[in-house]
Amino acid sequence: MSEITLKEMSRKPDALICGGRLCAGCDETIVVRQVMKATRGPTIVTSATGCLEVSTSIFPYTSWEVPWMHCAFENVAALASGIEATIKAMHKKKEGPLAKYPTVDVISFAGDGGTYDIGLQALSGAIERGHDFTYVLIDNEAYMNTGIQRSGGTPFGASTTTSPAGKVILGKTETKKPIDEIIIAHGTPYVATINTAWPLDVMKKARKAIEVDGPTFLHSLAPCSRGWRFPPEKTVEIGRLATQTCVFPLFECRQEKGKPVYELSAPSLAIAKRPENKKPIEAYLEQQGRYRHFFRPARKEALLKELQESIDTRWQILCEKAGV
Amino acid sequence: MVAKQKIVGLNGDEASAYATKQVDPDVVAAYPITPQTIIVERFSEYVADGLVGSEFVAVESEHSALSACVGASAAGARAFTATAANGLALMWEILYIAAGLRQPIVMAVANRCLGGPINIHNDHSDAMGARDSGWIQLFCENSQEVYDASVEAWRIAEHADIQMPVMVNFDGFTISHTMENVYILEDADVKKFVGKRIYMKTEGPKGEVEFKLDPDTPISIGPLDLQDFYFEHKVQQMEAMKGSLKAIKAVDKEFEKITGRKLEYVYPYKMDDAEVAVVGLGSAMGTVREVVDELRAEGVKAGMVKMRLFRPFPVEDLKNAIGNVPVLGVMEKAYSIGGPGAPLYEEVKTVLYDLPKRPFVADYINGLGGKDTSPEMIRDVFKSLQRIKERGAVLEPVSYVGVRE
Ligand SMILES: Cc1ncc(C[n+]2csc(CCOP(=O)(O)OP(=O)(O)O)c2C)c(N)n1
Ligand code: SF4
Ligand SMILES: [Mg+2]
């Protein structure tokens, strides 16, 4: 793997430039900028329908400095399959406009709606077929573009416009799909979770994902001030808390001889080694309006306990997998 | 000069696969569905035997098949897919996107009825569902026409004045699974005819560039297109489709030069003095031709018009072909539930409405779900047309052919 330094990355021009119409403090552009800093050469980007796509491509303008394409909501992985197959065919035939580039990397960006739900089939198919591309899940835990509706990636208890916290039902009653496990179970060569609070970690993982042959998957948790209900300047802080509370641990998983090999990344490894540094989930929840009903009008002790326990269990399972 | 050709036995699916092998597109992404499956199977064999350079993407659905083709085509590839019925219906969303993003994809459709109830046999309900999407639609009568269209389609799709996807339609089973003698060109002649892909030009951030995903000339494809531009873009698409009527003629002429086979948008048959005539698409028109001959032998002035091109609708050619016939029957294997008639009938009538002397027109829906349209049934249609002529009125504008009471 080629080495990445912050100094080098800071000199590299951005692939996604100004003019976007995302909300102030949106993490989506931060993820994209950090991932795109890690490209190694000619790159084609595809986006699923969602906040990122509608905000960065309003005709006749575009914020994209690299070849970029949007087709539909549920098919970003299929779209990437076709592009990747084209690169292969042109290299094989030694003709066609992409034949001249020694490598062309394909990166797809999609939201949680476009990944956990409507796009899961196309993603599963593309991974099974082994296309060489990097899929970046920008997980803001709801359908934000259409106004904060629940998705398969919305966590238990979160209030959204289709799982509102009411008098009887307190937000989403189901849990978040284990998307990383689903993707790892496909035998995906490289899967990692990323968090923009640790930019160098994001870039290193992105470079690895791009360099590994075959499909790779980066899962970013992308705090959304609009949908999670927090002040826009707190995006990175809240993202950091998600990892510090082990709600969103950072890890990598590669395949060795047909077996998944998990490895905790530095911020999570530090917690595994010194569990006393693990923050209680309340620190994360209480900053967000989508969990307001956990605390007001009265504290929901039982709910908080249940949630803390489930986070602890998931964290323990991950630590066991990572052998720490 | 007409190129060397040989005769081989091919069914419609094989003719499609064989022509596509000769074209050797960069990417083929397809999913099996009867009666199209032979195409994906044959093509997979060509790939397995190293006879093509194409990447075959064995997608997990038709939605992904067309999505992959859109990506491939945008990346500069020649992209091919094939489907039928429910598969085409599953692609519906992407049909519009492929056309709206002006991707010159070629797709074979072995026409099959749409469920439910589920049925694997032929009618045109699948293709008619795509008629407004922005695809050029050709309909074939036999395997030869399938072969010819499958070679020619690329030149039509990629023509500088067109740049639109093309759908090659042929009847499921009746054509897709029926072996016929087909004249085929040599590989080199097909390669020469289709040449290299031509790209549309567009205004990029740094001046004019080719409309494709290329790291040296980055552009954004498929952006959010709001109230201030969407309508204009749609008008461009509609006008380009209309304009393609001229360009397709030019490609037809070039194709005739190498094959000796003259291609028309519509084929009038014994229409000069016809008093009753039928217009329609697809394989049934072969049977209608036989019946016209029989009726002529019996002294009935029968005629017919076969349409090869359905999108763009060849308005002038159709008017000319129909000429002064006083009574016209539209025979079609499609329907529009709740509509005033089936699609072809509605469109033919629209075309004829402004004529100073327009014929009586009646719609004969036939062959849905693969029900055989026999020569006897076609004779009944002509009898019905003769009654209209005698009465000077259409009593039953839309009727169903050969349906049990
Ligand atoms: C087939 C289809 N269904 C529904 C929609 C409407 N739609 C557009 S974006 C979107 C939600 C996107 O959510 P997500 O993938 O999580 O991305 P985000 O906007 O949150 O980044 C929906 C429901 C659509 N465009 N296409
Ligand atoms: S709604 Fe959320 S994800 Fe969408 S642009 Fe705003 S902050 Fe970003
Ligand atoms: Mg989302």
Side-chain angles (χ1 to χ4, degrees), chain A residues 60-191:
Chain A
Y61 307 106
T62 178
S63 303
W64 295 91
E65 295 274 274
V66 291
W68 174 91
M69 184 169 191
H70 162 254
C71 179
F73 186 19
E74 67 284 62
N75 65 351
V76 73
L79 189 71
S81 302
I83 295 170
E84 188 261 8
T86 301
I87 297 163
K88 259 198 205 142
M90 287 182 183
H91 279 156
K92 186 166 60 185
K93 291 181 174 181
K94 296 190 172 58
E95 71 176 15
L98 299 177
K100 67 175 184 219
Y101 304 102
T103 60
V104 183
D105 297 314
V106 182
I107 301 181
S108 301
F109 292 102
D112 47 295
T115 304
Y116 289 81
D117 296 343
I118 200 165
L120 187 58
Q121 173 182 317
L123 173 59
S124 173
I127 294 174
E128 183 265 336
R129 294 189 299 272
H131 295 283
D132 185 9
F133 78 121
T134 297
Y135 189 100
V136 184
L137 157 59
I138 304 184
D139 188 359
N140 50 25
E141 304 194 315
Y143 301 160
M144 295 311 176
N145 186 46
T146 37
I148 327 169
Q149 293 84 26
R150 68 146 351 247
S151 78
T154 303
F156 173 80
S159 179
T160 71
T161 55
T162 51
S163 65
K167 292 205 173 89
V168 181
I169 301 170
L170 295 176
K172 190 180 164 188
T173 52
E174 305 80 18
T175 53
K176 194 176 170 79
K177 273 191 210 177
I179 193 74
D180 306 320
E181 294 309 311
I182 293 169
I183 303 302
I184 291 166
H186 282 68
T188 310
Y190 181 75
V191 174

Side-chain angles (χ1 to χ4, degrees), chain A residues 59 62 68 74-75 93 101, chain B residues 24 67 93 214 220-221 224:
Chain A
F59 191 87
T62 178
W68 174 91
E74 67 284 62
N75 65 351
K93 291 181 174 181
Y101 304 102
Chain B
D24 193 9
S67 300
E93 179 194 28
D214 190 325
S220 293
I221 300 180
L224 180 65

Side-chain angles (χ1 to χ4, degrees), chain B residues 47-61:
Chain B
V47 174
D49 292 339
L51 298 175
V52 285
S54 319
E55 276 295 307
F56 180 67
V57 187
V59 281
E60 80 300 332
S61 75

Side-chain angles (χ1 to χ4, degrees), chain B residues 159-181:
Chain B
H159 193 287
D161 298 338
I162 302 181
Q163 294 284 334
M164 270 177 238
V166 174
M167 194 182 290
V168 177
N169 293 281
F170 48 95
D171 290 341
F173 292 107
T174 325
I175 300 180
S176 69
H177 285 58
T178 306
M179 177 87 80
E180 289 182 290
N181 281 338

Side-chain angles (χ1 to χ4, degrees), chain B residues 84-208:
Chain B
N86 300 47
L88 188 64
L90 190 58
M91 287 178 180
W92 200 72
E93 179 194 28
I94 312 301
L95 288 175
Y96 281 72
I97 297 173
L101 299 184
R102 304 291 292 271
Q103 298 303 328
I105 296 159
V106 172
M107 164 152 65
V109 179
N111 300 113
R112 156 180 159 182
C113 70
L114 273 178
I118 193 166
N119 171 321
I120 58 170
H121 294 281
N122 167 243
D123 67 35
H124 294 159
S125 51
D126 54 3
M128 288 300 150
R131 70 183 161 139
D132 300 328
S133 64
W135 284 64
I136 288 171
Q137 291 183 306
L138 297 164
F139 280 82
C140 307
E141 186 195 319
N142 49 44
S143 293
Q144 183 69 59
E145 291 191 3
V146 175
Y147 175 79
D148 291 350
S150 305
V151 172
E152 205 208 6
W154 298 94
R155 287 287 304 280
I156 296 174
E158 295 167 8
H159 193 287
D161 298 338
I162 302 181
Q163 294 284 334
M164 270 177 238
V166 174
M167 194 182 290
V168 177
N169 293 281
F170 48 95
D171 290 341
F173 292 107
T174 325
I175 300 180
S176 69
H177 285 58
T178 306
M179 177 87 80
E180 289 182 290
N181 281 338
V182 177
Y183 285 89
I184 57 164
L185 292 158
E186 294 196 339
D187 292 359
D189 290 318
V190 171
K191 284 256 157 54
K192 204 167 126 205
F193 178 75
V194 296
K196 283 210 189 333
R197 187 179 153 183
I198 299 168
Y199 301 97
M200 196 161 78
K201 297 282 192 293
T202 188
E203 201 55 45
K206 295 176 187 98
E208 194 182 76

